[in-house]
Amino acid sequence: MTVGDKIKAARKEAGMTQAELAKLLGIAGPTLAQWETNVRNPKLRTLAQLAAGLNCSIFYLMDDEDIQAIMDGLRIMFESRR
């Protein structure tokens, strides 16, 4: 499932239209539509805002590669502190 698919599914689960979510986030409707159709991807900060607005985990909205990159970065950070 792509990030766009996840955003769309979470929005529908929240019972919101694209227009309602866009207004809540203070973004243009076409921007949200581009995210949902995977034309563009939101930045990490925006994903956090989407997760808050949709009452879901940011990790739910992220794709597996992004989650793995974060986990790898955390592992490196913690290993360097030993």
Side-chain angles (χ1 to χ4, degrees):
M1 192 178 235
T2 66
V3 173
D5 294 334
K6 291 177 179 185
I7 293 169
K8 185 176 184 177
R11 175 180 59 76
K12 287 186 173 192
E13 178 70 25
M16 299 177 80
T17 65
Q18 282 185 342
E20 290 169 334
L21 181 56
K23 183 176 180 180
L24 177 69
L25 297 174
I27 61 169
T31 299
L32 180 59
Q34 289 177 339
W35 294 338
E36 288 190 359
T37 57
N38 299 296
V39 172
R40 294 175 54 197
N41 285 316
K43 295 179 181 175
L44 187 58
R45 176 176 292 191
T46 306
L47 272 180
Q49 293 170 332
L50 279 163
L54 294 169
N55 197 30
C56 68
S57 166
I58 189 172
F59 291 108
Y60 170 76
L61 296 177
M62 297 172 76
D63 66 19
D64 292 341
E65 289 179 16
D66 289 338
I67 294 170
Q68 188 60 53
I70 289 172
M71 297 306 291
D72 290 345
L74 289 171
R75 188 177 313 105
I76 290 167
M77 183 178 73
F78 285 116
E79 287 175 356
S80 69
R81 292 183 179 201
R82 291 182 188 186

